[in-house]
Amino acid sequence: MATLDIIDLHASVITPEGPKPILHGVNLHIGDNEIHAIMGPNGSGKSTTAYALAGHPSYEITSGQVLLDGVDITDMTADERAREGLFLAMQYPVEVPGVSVSNFLRTAKTAIDGEAPKLREWSQALRKVTEKLRVDADFIKRDLNVGFSGGEKKRTEVLQMELLEPKIAVLDETDSGLDVDALRVVSEGIVDVHERTGNSLLLITHYNRILQYVKPDYVHVFAGGKIVRTGGPDLASELEASGYDSYIEAEAK
Ligand code: ADP
Ligand code: MG
Ligand code: MG
């Protein structure tokens, strides 16, 4: 159980030409055990929000605050935030040659818990989640994300979440590029962790279809570097039908 407060967040992406402001005052309160969805046009700053929350070194928070369970994590490093219980499933997971999936998972678990998991329990947990996510035993011996299909990368993100059990998980387009079967498996994994651990979820998506499985309490429209509208689950279907044009126009004024 945990809460996340994003308070008037302004952030820039660091580019070779210098910092480029992208977020212009994001405000969001996520309560215990809540599911929030963010939808919005390409380039509006959704992934930037995810990276800024996770403490990615290429992004700079220029003002505002992020509180996890009331603890100010704004100036923490990415690994400190992870130890506080924050998890980011990236839109484009990074390939790590030379590090196997299973090694990576065990290293991450050890770093977050502060001690290595017991071998026997760890093997059991690993077997359980790989079966559930329908990945075979050889899969976790492969180098992390190297040559993985889009679907395999997304499954690996959910595998991490299953084993790390974060208090707050930010899932950036974890549903993109999945066929219907993979979408169901991934969605069921997300719901399973949510129900088992009582975590809170921030789901960034373009599609209502994942929200049929992972049912949001709130849906937010993101445009021009901030949240411009908040509604209930029905807002997702409305957005899918009407698009974002009216929001983009409003932001351009
Ligand atoms: P979304 O996830 O909503 O599609 P992003 O957060 O990825 O949007 O991007 C927001 C804006 O930041 C876009 O205009 C994008 O081009 C810009 N941006 C992101 N990363 C970089 C970068 N490394 N260099 C320059 N501009 C960037
Ligand atoms: Mg719930
Ligand atoms: Mg994005």
Side-chain angles (χ1 to χ4, degrees), residues 35 56 58-59 63 68 108 142 146 156 176-177 191-192 212 217 236 243:
I35 299 179
H56 191 291
S58 301
Y59 296 79
S63 67
L68 199 162
R142 288 172 61 184
V146 178
T156 306
S176 285
V191 171
D192 174 71
Q212 305 302 313
D217 300 297

Side-chain angles (χ1 to χ4, degrees), residues 73-90:
I73 64 166
T74 318
D75 298 320
M76 288 186 183
T77 60
D79 57 314
E80 287 168 340
R81 293 175 201 222
R83 279 197 292 272
E84 290 294 324
L86 189 72
F87 173 80
L88 169 63
M90 287 187 283

Side-chain angles (χ1 to χ4, degrees), residues 32-35 194-195 198-199 215 217:
D32 275 337
N33 196 227
E34 285 180 355
I35 299 179
H194 175 67
E195 291 179 348
N199 67 8
K215 294 195 162 58
D217 300 297

Side-chain angles (χ1 to χ4, degrees), residues 121-177:
E121 286 160 29
W122 177 250
S123 309
Q124 277 171 0
L126 204 55
R127 189 166 340 110
K128 207 166 136 191
V129 294
T130 49
E131 272 169 20
K132 194 164 68 186
L133 287 164
R134 318 263 167 83
V135 298
D136 59 51
D138 284 343
F139 178 79
I140 61 170
K141 295 180 192 152
R142 288 172 61 184
D143 285 4
L144 182 63
N145 291 321
V146 178
F148 285 15
S149 69
E152 286 170 338
K153 286 182 181 170
K154 303 297 173 154
R155 277 176 211 238
T156 306
E157 296 290 304
V158 178
L159 207 62
Q160 288 173 48
M161 191 174 68
E162 287 267 13
L163 292 163
L164 301 180
E165 301 188 338
K167 292 188 205 167
I168 307 272
V170 180
L171 306 174
D172 192 1
E173 297 201 26
T174 300
D175 54 331
S176 285

